[in-house]
Amino acid sequence: MTRSPGARGMAASEKSAPRIPAEKDAIGVIGLGTMGSAMAANLIKAGIKVHGFDIVAAQREELKKSGGMPATSVAAVAQLAEMLLTSLPSSDALHAVAEELHGKGRVVMETSTLPIEDKERARDTLAKKGIVLLDCPLSGTGAQARAKDLVVFASGDEAGFRKAESFMPGFSRAHYYLGEFGNGSKMKFVANLLVAIHNVSAAEAFALGMKAGLDPKTIYDVIANSAGASRMFQVRGPQMVANDYDDATISVQLFQKDMKIIGDFAARQGVATPLFNTSAMIYNAAMAQGHGAEDTAAVCAVLEALSGIKR
Amino acid sequence: MTRSPGARGMAASEKSAPRIPAEKDAIGVIGLGTMGSAMAANLIKAGIKVHGFDIVAAQREELKKSGGMPATSVAAVAQLAEMLLTSLPSSDALHAVAEELHGKGRVVMETSTLPIEDKERARDTLAKKGIVLLDCPLSGTGAQARAKDLVVFASGDEAGFRKAESFMPGFSRAHYYLGEFGNGSKMKFVANLLVAIHNVSAAEAFALGMKAGLDPKTIYDVIANSAGASRMFQVRGPQMVANDYDDATISVQLFQKDMKIIGDFAARQGVATPLFNTSAMIYNAAMAQGHGAEDTAAVCAVLEALSGIKR
Amino acid sequence: MTRSPGARGMAASEKSAPRIPAEKDAIGVIGLGTMGSAMAANLIKAGIKVHGFDIVAAQREELKKSGGMPATSVAAVAQLAEMLLTSLPSSDALHAVAEELHGKGRVVMETSTLPIEDKERARDTLAKKGIVLLDCPLSGTGAQARAKDLVVFASGDEAGFRKAESFMPGFSRAHYYLGEFGNGSKMKFVANLLVAIHNVSAAEAFALGMKAGLDPKTIYDVIANSAGASRMFQVRGPQMVANDYDDATISVQLFQKDMKIIGDFAARQGVATPLFNTSAMIYNAAMAQGHGAEDTAAVCAVLEALSGIKR
Amino acid sequence: MTRSPGARGMAASEKSAPRIPAEKDAIGVIGLGTMGSAMAANLIKAGIKVHGFDIVAAQREELKKSGGMPATSVAAVAQLAEMLLTSLPSSDALHAVAEELHGKGRVVMETSTLPIEDKERARDTLAKKGIVLLDCPLSGTGAQARAKDLVVFASGDEAGFRKAESFMPGFSRAHYYLGEFGNGSKMKFVANLLVAIHNVSAAEAFALGMKAGLDPKTIYDVIANSAGASRMFQVRGPQMVANDYDDATISVQLFQKDMKIIGDFAARQGVATPLFNTSAMIYNAAMAQGHGAEDTAAVCAVLEALSGIKR
C-alpha cells in the first residue's frame, strides 16, 4: 500500500499517438452527477484543465460555469485528454462508456461503486484498445466530494496508477494504492459494510436511549465522545437528533444498490456477515415505510416505530 | 446536562456530624480492583488524600504503595472520608457495602456497571442512613482508567453531584451530569450497546476483507481513516490484525455480564435491538469456542472460523 | 427415554408415614390457573380423586364445580394426597410452595416452565423433608391442556417417576422420561426455542406473501400443506390470516418470561442461537407496539408494520 | 385458488395447426435432470406418452429406458406434443429454450425456480409465437419428485392452466391455481423462505439441546412430536442426528441460487425478512466451511462448530 498525499507534478514521458494530440496535463471527466461534478470543480480549482461529458445537458452547462470545458461525447473527451475519470450510475453505463472510448495510452480512473465483475469486463474491453482502466472507488459522500474530503482506494495496473496518482490530490484528501485490480472495490465494500451497519447501530442507540427517557441531543453529545462512537454516529447523528432526513447525502433508495453489491460479494466470497444481513432488513423496511428518498439516517425512524417510540 | 472539565476546589459547607470527624477533602475508595485502584492512583497523583478498602489484602497493600491509606473495613473508610467512590464487581457486593456504610451526609459515587434496579435498592438503603448514592458509571477500560481517560456519566441527587463534581477531574477526563438517578446507567448501556456491536462489526469487516484477499494491516490502516471507522475499530483493530487476544482490556467472560445487563434492560424498556441481539450470539460463540479469558476482540477469531478463514 | 402411553393402574407399594394417611390414588394439584385447572379437570374425568389449592378463592371454587376437592392450604393438600402436581407462575411461588410442603414419601410433578436453577433449589429444599421433586414441564398451550393434548417432559429421580407415571395419562396424551433432573426443562427450552422462532417465521412468510400480492388465506392453505409448514404455522396461522390476536392462548407478555429463560439458558450453556436472538427483538417490538396482551401470533402485525403493509 | 386432485381426462378441443400434427395427449418434457426425469418417469407410469429432450445424451438415454421417447432437440419436442413441461437449471437455459420453441397453441408448464422477471421475459417471447407459458414452480425435492409427492403452484393464463391441469396428477400429488402469472413463483418463494429458516432453526435446536447434554436421537423423537415441530425438522432432522450430510436431496451450493432469488425478491418487494437474512449468513458459512456439496442439513455442523460442540 502506498499512501501519497503528495503534491502535483507528474513527469509523464509516454508518447501519445500522433493522431490524437490529447493534452497530458488535462483530465477528462465522464459522468458529471453529484460526485463527478464535485470532483471536476475541485480539479479546476487545483489548476487542472478539465474536459467533461454527461448525457444530461444541464450537467454539461454546469461544468462550463465551473470553468471546465464540456465536450460533445464520451469519444470527444478521450480525444482531448490522456487522463480520464469516470463517475457512473450503473454497470450498463460503464459498459457503454467502455465501448465508446478510444485512444491508445489513455488511463481511466473508474471511481464508481459497481460489482467487480463489471469493472473487470470493462477493463478487458478497454485493454484491447490499449487503454488502462484503474479500479478507484471513493470513500465519501457528495458533501465530502465538494469539500475535497474524499479518499481514493486505487487498484490495478501499477504503471497506470503512477500516471494517475498526480491528479488525485486535485479531488481527494488522500489516496491508497491497494495492488491488483479489484482490491480498491473490495476495500470499498469493506468500508461500506461498516457504513451500513454503523448507521443502523447509531439508530439503535438512539432508540434505546430515547425509549429509556434520555434526550436525543444529550445522547448525541455524550456518545459521540465515548467508546461507542463511530464516524457514522457523528455524521448521521444530528439528523437523527433532529428527526429530519430530507437533506439526503445518500438516499435509502440509492444505497440499496450498494447493499445489494456488498451482499452479493459476501455471498460469492463465502463470508458470513451477521450484522450486515441484519442491517439489510432494516433498509428494506425503510424503503417499505416510504423513506426511500430520504437520507439513510432515516433508519432511525424505522427503529423508533419498531419500538413504539413517538416524538 | 452539564459538562464540567472544571478545576478542583469545592466549597463544601455542610457540617459533619461531631462523632465522625471525616475529612472533607479526602476520598474513600471502596473496591480496589482494576478500575478502583487506577482511579485511586490518579486521585493520589492529583493531590487528594485517598483512604481505601478491598476485601483482597494484596489490593490494600498496593494502595499503600501508591501513596494511599488502606483502611480495615468498609465502615472504617466511611469514618475517614465524607466523599466515597465504589467500584464493585457485582450487585451482591454493592448491597453488602450499602449495609455496612454509615455516616450521615456522606456522598457515594457508585461507578460500577450494574442493573439500575440494584443501584436503586442500594440508594434506598443508604438514604435511610442519610447517605446520598449517585449513579456514576464510567466510560472506559482499565487501560483508560490508568491513563485518566475515563468519562463519568453522573446522575442522581443534584446537590450530591455538586459535592462530588470537584473530585471527578482527579480520575477522569470529562464528566456529564445527566439528571435523575439512573440516567448515568442508561447512558452507559447505550454506549455499551454500541461497543458490543462495533467490536463485532470490526471483526466482520476484517473477515470480509481477509477472505477477499486483502491484508489485515492494510484493512486497518485504510478503514480506520474512512467513513467506516469506529472507536472500537481503532481500539480493537490492532489485536485483530495481530490475531492475538491475550492482553485483555476486558475479557469476553467479563463482558458477558454487561451483555446480559443491556439485553435485560432493552427487553424491560420494550426496545427492539436487532444488531445487539445478533452481536450477542457471537459473544456466546466466543465463550463456547474457548475465548472467555481473551479480549472481546477475539470475536474476530469467531467470525474467521465461521467463514473458514485460516491464517 | 421411555415413552409410555400406558394405561392407569400403578401398584404403589411404599408405606406411607402413619401420621399422614394420604391417599395413594389421589392427586393434589397446587396452582389452579389456566394449566393447573385444565389438568385437574381431566384427572377428575379420568376417575382420579383430585385435591387442590390455589391462592385465588375463585379458582378453588371452580375446582369444586369440576368435581374436585379444594383444600385450605398447600400443606393441607399434601396431607391428603401422596402424589402432587405443581403448576406455578413464578420461581418465587415455587420456593414458597417448597417451604410449605411436608410429608415424607411425597412425589411432586413440577410442571411449570422455570429456570433450572430454581427447580434444583426447590428439589433440594424438598429432599431434606423426604419429598421427591420431579422436573416435568409440559409441551402445549392452555387450549391443549383442556383437550388433554399435552406432552410431559419428565426428568429426575427414576423411582419417583415410576410412581408418577401412572397419573400422566390422566392429563396428557404422551409422556417421556428424559433422565436426570433438569433434562425435562432442557427439552422444554429446545421446544420453546422453536416455538418462538416458528411463530415469527410464519409471520415473515405472511408478510412476504401479502406484500407480493398473495391472499393470506391462500398462503395459509397452500403453505400449511408444503415443505415450509410448521406446527406453529398451522396453529397460529389462522389468527394471522384473520388479523385478530385477541384470543390469546399465550400472550406476548407472558411469553416474554419464557423468552428470557431460554435466552439466559443459551448464554449460560454457551450456545449461539442466531434465529432465536433475532426473534427476541421482534417480541420486544410486539410489547413496545402494544401487543402485550394479545396472542404471540401478533408478531405478524409487527412484521407487517415493519414492511409498510396495510390491510 | 383451485385445488384439483382430480382425475386425468381432458377434453382438449382446440384445433392444432395443420403443419404440426402434435399429439394432444402426449407431453414433451424439456430438461431431464433430477426433477425433469423423475416427473417424466411418473407421467409414463400414469400412461401418458412422453417425448423429451436434454442437452446431456445420458439423460435422453435414461428417458428411453423409462419408456419415454427422446427427441433430438427442443424444437423437435414441440413438434411432437402440444403440452410441454420445462425443468431447467438457469434463466439462461429458459431464454434459450424460449427462443427455440415454436408451435402456435402450445402450452408450457414452466416448473423451474427462477426470478419472476426471467419467467416474464420468456412468457413474452413465447406469446409472440402463440405459445402460452405458465409459471408452475414445484414444492418438493428430487426424492419427493420420484415419489410423486410434489405440489404444483400454478399461475398464469387460466385457459392454458385448464389444458395443463389434467396432466398434473401424472407427476404431482396436488396442485393449486394461484391466479395471475408469477403468483406461483411468489408462493414458491414464500415456501422456500420457510424451508431456509426451518432448516436452520432445526439445527439451532439440536445445537442447544446437545450442548446441554441431551441425546440428539431423543431430541429428534421428542421434538418432532411437539409444538416445536416443522416439516423441515422432520425431514432433515435424521441427517442432523446421524451427523452425516453426504446424501444430498438438495446441496448447500444449489440452494444458494434459491437463497439469492428470495433475497432479491424480498428486497425488490420492500419486505423486511429478519429471520431469512440471519439464515442466509449461516448458509454462506456452510459454503465457506466446505459443506457446499452436502445436504443443506449441514447447517447443523456450522451451528455445532459455532458453539464449540464436538461429537
Side-chain angles (χ1 to χ4, degrees), chain C:
Chain C
M1 186 191 68
T2 305
R3 183 179 170 185
S4 315
R8 182 90 231 298
M10 180 181 77
S13 58
E14 76 283 1
K15 194 144 182 294
S16 57
R19 286 171 36 231
I20 309 173
E23 295 168 88
K24 280 177 188 155
D25 289 351
I27 190 166
V29 178
I30 297 166
L32 297 165
T34 307
M35 299 300 286
S37 64
M39 290 188 281
N42 281 318
L43 283 158
I44 292 163
K45 277 186 215 157
I48 299 167
K49 193 179 285 187
V50 176
H51 300 281
F53 179 74
D54 192 285
I55 51 171
V56 177
Q59 296 301 116
R60 298 196 300 267
E61 195 54 34
E62 199 188 301
L63 176 67
K64 199 170 182 179
K65 282 180 197 158
S66 303
M69 285 158 291
T72 54
S73 70
V74 164
V77 172
Q79 296 284 23
L80 297 162
E82 291 206 340
M83 182 60 53
L84 301 168
L85 183 155
T86 50
S87 177
L88 303 164
S90 69
S91 294
D92 284 349
L94 175 60
H95 297 315
V97 167
E99 289 301 324
E100 282 187 59
L101 275 184
H102 285 88
K104 194 160 180 279
R106 299 290 179 277
V107 172
V108 184
M109 292 181 270
E110 209 305 286
T111 66
S112 324
T113 296
L114 297 171
I116 294 176
E117 299 69 36
D118 288 309
K119 292 209 176 188
E120 287 173 341
R121 194 177 126 199
R123 175 199 60 187
D124 295 346
T125 301
L126 290 166
K128 288 173 196 151
K129 305 188 240 185
I131 300 175
V132 169
L133 184 80
L134 298 172
D135 169 44
C136 298
L138 307 166
S139 176
T141 62
Q144 288 175 292
R146 285 188 290 277
K148 213 163 101 170
D149 187 23
L150 296 175
V151 178
V152 185
F153 297 161
S155 65
D157 181 79
E158 189 160 359
F161 167 71
R162 293 299 155 212
K163 291 181 195 165
E165 192 178 10
S166 62
F167 290 87
M168 292 180 182
F171 63 90
S172 66
R173 71 167 161 87
H175 62 269
Y176 296 96
Y177 176 65
L178 297 169
E180 64 174 334
F181 190 92
N183 279 358
S185 283
K186 288 171 181 179
M187 192 64 84
K188 178 69 193 289
F189 300 159
V190 170
N192 265 9
L193 171 119
L194 288 169
V195 164
I197 295 168
H198 293 170
N199 185 42
V200 176
S201 68
E204 199 166 306
F206 277 107
L208 179 62
M210 285 192 286
K211 188 83 186 267
L214 299 174
D215 169 63
K217 180 65 168 61
T218 305
I219 295 170
Y220 182 73
D221 291 341
V222 175
I223 298 298
N225 185 33
S226 81
S230 72
R231 191 87 189 97
M232 276 304 107
F233 186 93
Q234 291 161 341
V235 168
R236 307 251 192 259
Q239 291 168 278
M240 298 181 186
V241 170
N243 197 19
D244 181 348
Y245 310 106
D246 285 345
D247 189 13
T249 57
I250 177 163
S251 70
V252 173
Q253 177 132 37
L254 201 57
F255 196 57
Q256 286 289 78
K257 185 197 74 167
D258 289 356
M259 292 297 292
K260 186 168 157 43
I261 291 174
I262 300 168
D264 288 352
F265 177 69
R268 208 173 306 112
Q269 295 288 333
V271 182
T273 51
L275 295 177
F276 176 78
N277 286 25
T278 298
S279 298
M281 67 102 182
I282 300 293
Y283 290 99
N284 282 3
M287 289 297 294
Q289 292 179 24
H291 300 289
E294 295 177 0
D295 190 89
T296 52
V299 293
C300 193
V302 172
L303 287 179
E304 288 175 57
L306 192 59
S307 293
I309 296 166
K310 280 170 186 102
R311 57 167 171 167

